[in-house]
Amino acid sequence: MVSTMPPVLDPVRLPYLLVFGGVTLACFGLATVLARQQTAAGERELTALFVAIGCWNACSVGLLLVPRQFAVRPLFAGSLLMAIVVSVVWLRFAQVYCGQDPLPIPGRRYLVIGALMAALVLPITNSLHGLVWTDITVQYRYNIPVFLAERGPAHHVLTGASYLFTFASVRCLAIRFWNARITRPAILSVLVGFGLSISANLLPVVSDLLIEYPPAVTAGGGAFGAFGVLVAVRSDLSGTVSIARRSVFDTLADPAVVVDTGGHVLAANEAFVQTFGDPTTGEPFTATNPGLARQLDADAIDRQTVQVDGEDDATHYSVIASPVGVDGTRGRSLVFRDISDLRSATRRLERQNEHLDELAYSAAHNLRNPLGVIDGYAGMIRSELDDVDDPSFDRDRVQGHVDKVAANSQRMEEIVTDLLCVTHASKADGEREWVSLGALAEAAMDAVNGVENLRLTVAEDGEVRSNPEQFEMLLSTLVRASRDRSGDEQVSVRLTASEDGFVFEDDAESIDEQDAEVFLSYGYATKYPGTGLGLAVARMLATSHEWEIDIDGSYDGLRVVVSGAAVRPATDTRS
């Protein structure tokens, strides 16, 4: 006997209605929310998925609310159609979200279209061929009518197609979620939902249900799996960026980390792990990387710079902070770019520019001196030539004037040569290589004129990592300083390699201790012989290598110490 109680209030029917009705309302509600904020790859397809699952569950609700023969066949047909539609939307969502085809088989598109058309046409025309179900009978359980469908071959084929599409999608999503560690817990929801969908076909065998048609029961499991995907998508690395951008994040050569609005670590790429260590996902960034966090302004949008101290020297990083999600509501991504080489090159260029400015000023000053001397002696020569017929004409005095003009002309030539060499060296390729100290010293001696009275000795040879052209000019400048102070005397020049540089010594005119630092400055030419540029050129070339150069004023002669260089024994054959 059929119960006289209203179907909705029937205590046996009510739990089914609560489950399927609740899932239906939840799916439509989630679809409405997603439709208003479609900012991530796949969210449009995910919205369609919840709509399809909602319609699928609505068919189950209809079977419970309208247990009448005229309504059963359309609702059965609708359940089968929506099962196929849901599996196809799953496939599309996985393709868009993961950026790859979940079902890479030949003719995939025709297979999908064929399954959809068959699910639409075959149930409608079933009365003509009976391929979907052969008969629909009624049984009474707990005094409630239950309709049973005798399934045909087309039903099994369509069910298999839906499971094929769904399995391919779930597999693709599971791999994607596993690769992003923050979404790994959501894999359980996806797999459980998929498992519930499959097990629905077995439920009628092991339990007496009010709905015996498997596609109608499967709808609940499909909703559970879709909700798990929603959780995974919304908690992914950024939640609002495409899979292409996430792939860039994972493969970015620069260290990168994503934190939420509360400062908790969401993800870090491999470069960040190798550079700064593996931060614990979910922990505050201030706890996992306190040294970096202290130097960063979490709310700043401009580039920031952080310094990481190492064993030998510090590494500097430029940090680019970008909002994650709409208006940064989900957090912030931080990309760290190593700018140590750039900072070093910038400082080197700044020093070179300062030195070149000083050099230009000094050269102008020093060129005026010999020009003034030449001009003065030229006037004296003209005056003497006016009296050439005078008995008091002194040819030797005129010759002395000519020698002064020639000497100052030579001095100007050397100043111009220094200017050209320094300018050329400052523009030379900055690549460095291992060069022999002794070999470059010999080349420097050959490059300087008038060094016949200098005797070079390499007390201890070595190889220095440097720019060969600039290094040879540095040594040439030191050799010229020895020549200018030697006069006509024999002078010994000695070079000795040290652990971090080399030492240049001569026994020519001594440098007063109070003048040691000044001797390295531009324009100091009045007290000691030279061009006026002198060792200031050597200082510029040394600092371009980031070396230190000093003069030992207590030495009897000239003693120049260069340090901060990379040196190895001359017998070392390493490349």
Side-chain angles (χ1 to χ4, degrees), residues 383-395 397:
S383 176
E384 293 286 348
L385 291 177
D386 289 340
D387 300 328
V388 69
D389 295 328
D390 193 299
S392 62
F393 176 76
D394 190 340
R395 180 177 296 275
R397 184 170 64 239

Side-chain angles (χ1 to χ4, degrees), residues 355-370 411 415 418-419 515 517-539:
H355 293 327
L356 288 174
D357 288 342
E358 294 176 11
L359 183 62
Y361 175 81
S362 176
H365 173 74
N366 280 279
L367 283 172
R368 287 193 184 100
N369 288 339
R411 182 181 174 192
I415 292 174
D418 276 347
L419 278 174
D515 295 333
E517 181 63 27
V518 182
F519 198 65
L520 291 171
S521 301
Y522 293 107
Y524 195 76
T526 56
K527 188 173 182 179
Y528 301 98
T531 66
L533 301 180
L535 294 187
V537 173
R539 185 187 69 172

Side-chain angles (χ1 to χ4, degrees), residues 76-90:
F76 277 0
S79 293
L80 182 60
L81 174 62
M82 295 314 301
I84 295 295
V85 170
V86 166
S87 66
V88 171
V89 178
W90 265 115

Side-chain angles (χ1 to χ4, degrees), residues 1 20 51 268 302 426 546:
M1 180 176 69
F20 288 109
V51 171
D302 297 330
S426 65
E546 298 182 350

Side-chain angles (χ1 to χ4, degrees), residues 4 88 106-107 222 236 241 284 293 305 311 313 342 366 399 407 416 444 492-493 507 509 516:
T4 59
V88 171
D236 205 353
V241 294
T305 302
E311 295 181 0
D313 52 12
L342 178 62
N366 280 279
Q399 184 60 46
V416 172
S492 297
V493 176
D507 55 3
E509 180 183 356

Side-chain angles (χ1 to χ4, degrees), residues 201-248:
N201 279 335
L202 302 176
L203 285 178
V205 179
V206 298
S207 177
D208 290 335
L209 301 177
L210 295 187
I211 299 178
E212 289 287 353
Y213 192 53
V217 182
T218 308
F224 192 91
F227 180 75
V229 170
L230 176 62
V231 172
V233 172
R234 304 310 294 177
S235 63
D236 205 353
L237 296 180
S238 67
T240 56
V241 294
S242 65
I243 185 65
R245 183 169 176 180
R246 284 191 296 272
S247 298
V248 171

